[in-house]
Amino acid sequence: MTIATEERLPRGGVRPNERALAPDLARGIMLLGIVLSNTAFHLWAARRGPSGWQPVDGSWLDHAVQFTMIIVLDLRVYPLFAFLFGYGMMQLYLRQTAAGADGRAAAKILRRRGLWLIAIGLTHAALLMAGDITGFYGVLSLVLGTALLRRGERALKWWTGIGVALLVLVSAGPALAALLRGELGTFGDTGADPGFKAYAPDEADWLTAAGIRLETGLFVTFAAASLTLVGGGYVIFLLGFWAARRRVLEEPGDHRTLLRRTAALGIAVGWLGALPAALAHTGVLHVTDAMQSDSGALMVLRDITGNAAGLGYVAAIALFAHRWTTRRPRRGATAVAAVASVGQRSLSCYLAHSLLFAPVLAAWGLGLGGHLGSATMALFACAVWLVTLAGAYALERAGRRGPAEAALRRLMYGSRRA
């Protein structure tokens, strides 16, 4: 299979001189957001609120961190990842076809990539991180890549419109119906287990925890991906397809008006959509437990508006990248290059987060997660990200790819083209 693929493809993966700053910078910043968002699931001894996500105990500083996480990060970073994933898929496809590859051969490489991402994701979930999103995106890439990657603009617009309609009907529809019935205060499930239980960080036996993590990983990879397709959540991927065809992140200077409007509107909608949940979590806004629950109205509002925030973040980073590359300021150049090096090795750094997190924080390891609060856990997460940043920058200086990226390239293209 590998030999046949090598013969039909005129080139391998992206070369260093083909990289643009904006996508790499966005991925590097995104990974900091992801590692911070995942901290709540490792605070296994903390007292939880009705949503089962962020803890409700701790000092005023812990509450400030929780408030900030709910508004800025929770359910807002993963849409950014989804957009960049879709953007990268289309980039890979366009590079191959521009070099003379047959469209089916290029799509076949992406299907192979999706299958390997599923395998990597489930392994990651079983060993360390139940909420792995690598396999989840692998499933979505298989479906969307097969159905829409080679389709024209009209098909993309139609399916994007259908996705928006599904988001309104499937995701927001039940909450809107409850509002019209005057039952919004009782809409939701207050009896659900806290979300961190699916990660099994409080399980002292590693083998038992691994079973729980694998079960969760299978659900996230296959069931959650299916629900995303049925519920219209795939829209963010298609927007990545559309943006890649127009080289929005490679040439942000040509799209400044679009990026400015998207950044301003997207971030405003995303933060305002999460504000009621943040106020309720800290006790400033008094609502029912059902509204705050994982399936309640405030969570629905956070989930839907999180897509706007993710797009806004991408646009803001693209504008910064354009300003940086055109003005060439000297101060801070090393920091920008280091963050971009993380983005270039995003899979390696993402897996390294779990390798540094789980054995130290989980009850089956050193158990530190049972003794930290939201603020100290956020500091630990930033330290973990800085460790991966230092490693990625060292690899960049040495001219080497991340180990996970190098392995995935060999699996996709074969050793000769990798």
Side-chain angles (χ1 to χ4, degrees), residues 44-108:
W44 47 270
R47 186 165 57 88
R48 306 283 163 165
S51 74
W53 281 47
Q54 293 288 345
V56 294
D57 52 9
S59 66
W60 67 268
L61 185 58
D62 291 318
H63 292 311
V65 169
Q66 295 157 13
F67 183 90
T68 304
M69 291 269 198
I70 291 171
I71 289 182
V72 178
L73 296 178
D74 291 351
L75 299 174
R76 272 124 190 82
V77 179
Y78 291 105
L80 166 60
F81 194 176
F83 176 89
L84 292 172
F85 192 90
Y87 196 99
M89 283 179 63
M90 182 60 74
Q91 277 186 311
L92 189 155
Y93 177 81
L94 293 176
R95 279 195 300 268
Q96 291 292 343
T97 54
D102 175 73
R104 292 186 178 181
K108 184 178 180 180

Side-chain angles (χ1 to χ4, degrees), residues 250-288:
E250 289 96 326
E251 301 166 357
D254 296 338
H255 306 276
R256 278 175 288 181
T257 300
L258 171 66
L259 291 172
R260 286 168 182 160
R261 291 174 179 173
T262 302
L265 185 61
I267 294 174
V269 169
W271 288 8
L272 288 174
L275 183 59
L279 293 174
H281 181 85
T282 52
V284 176
L285 179 66
H286 298 285
V287 298
T288 64

Side-chain angles (χ1 to χ4, degrees), residues 145-168:
T146 301
L148 296 170
L149 195 64
R150 294 184 290 149
R151 303 292 294 273
E153 293 289 321
R154 187 175 181 181
L156 279 182
K157 289 179 180 178
W158 270 103
W159 281 104
T160 299
I162 292 171
V164 171
L166 288 173
L167 275 176
V168 174

Side-chain angles (χ1 to χ4, degrees), residues 383-409:
V384 166
W385 182 78
L386 287 173
V387 169
T388 60
L389 181 141
Y393 190 55
L395 289 173
E396 178 69 18
R397 295 289 299 270
R400 298 174 60 185
R401 296 188 179 95
E405 285 74 21
L408 186 58
R409 282 196 179 205

Side-chain angles (χ1 to χ4, degrees), residues 1 3 10 40 45 149 177 185 188 191-192 204 210 222 228 256 267 317 390 402 410:
M1 181 182 295
I3 294 174
L149 195 64
F222 297 108
T228 298
R256 278 175 288 181
I267 294 174
I317 294 169
R410 285 194 295 271

